[in-house]
Amino acid sequence: MIAKSEESMGIDSKRYCMLTCDLETHFVQAYPSGMKNTQEAYLVLKHYAGQQKVSRFYSDRGSELISSVKLLKWNHDKSLPYLHTNNGIIERRNRIIPEGTRTILMKAGLPIPFWPYAVKHFCFAQNIAAMSGNAMTSPCYKRFGDSFDGCEIPFGAQVWYKPSERMAKRMPKFAGSTIPGIFLGYDQK
């Protein structure tokens, strides 16, 4: 995904977003970035794969992807240009994720520059969603063998959190121990 206008640029000058999808588990991840180059693509792919062996990688013919996959020594299948039937699964994901991101931004009432957080939250929500209430059917469970057992908090919801020590020292003596904030997603390291 590419934010083509200044109005579409995300917080911290994020302009690009690499979407990844494991076709076996349907686990998706978004990686907003300020750059689109081989080094960035390499780091994204390495993070996404983690400790798992990649038997085959499928992508468009982006030069940064071709170069990074060579560095990773993965088998690389490339889509045929302008033949959408050839890459329908990925095209569908590339439609669903921006649509979902727009929807949760609008629902939260947050401006467009928050899209880097919204796209990551949308993918996270897709990954923990279970079919028919069975946690073992979620993409997260299929990929990692474990389901998410935390609170499912909507993007943009008001939350109360414990401030950093530095900020807590500046708070009035009889103030509460938490402060209000906006939920922008979980830290996904």
Side-chain angles (χ1 to χ4, degrees), residues 12-13 16 18 27 40-41 43 51 74 81 84 86-88 99 106 129 140 148 158 168 170 174-175 185:
D12 298 332
S13 301
Y16 305 101
M18 188 167 162
F27 187 89
E40 192 71 21
L43 293 172
Q51 299 299 316
W74 293 350
H84 297 293
N86 179 274
N87 51 0
E99 287 169 359
M106 286 182 3
C140 185
F148 177 72
Q158 181 180 16
R170 292 185 293 173
F174 297 105

Side-chain angles (χ1 to χ4, degrees), residues 25-89:
T25 64
H26 301 286
F27 187 89
V28 294
Q29 191 106 21
Y31 294 90
S33 173
M35 300 177 294
K36 183 180 178 185
N37 58 34
T38 299
Q39 180 182 1
E40 192 71 21
Y42 175 84
L43 293 172
V44 163
L45 295 175
K46 195 169 169 98
H47 178 267
Y48 186 78
Q51 299 299 316
Q52 297 181 334
K53 182 183 183 304
V54 174
S55 58
R56 191 175 93 196
F57 180 76
Y58 183 79
S59 75
D60 62 15
R61 295 175 179 271
S63 60
E64 74 283 359
L65 295 173
I66 292 169
S67 299
S68 59
V69 170
K70 280 182 186 174
L71 291 171
L72 291 163
K73 297 181 172 117
W74 293 350
N75 291 327
H76 191 189
D77 293 340
K78 297 171 235 26
S79 65
L80 297 172
Y82 313 109
L83 186 59
H84 297 293
T85 55
N86 179 274
N87 51 0
I89 294 170

Side-chain angles (χ1 to χ4, degrees), residues 21 26 28 89-98 126:
C21 178
H26 301 286
V28 294
I89 294 170
I90 300 303
E91 290 291 331
R92 180 76 181 128
R93 283 280 176 209
N94 286 346
R95 229 175 25 251
I96 289 171
I97 293 172
Q126 294 283 296

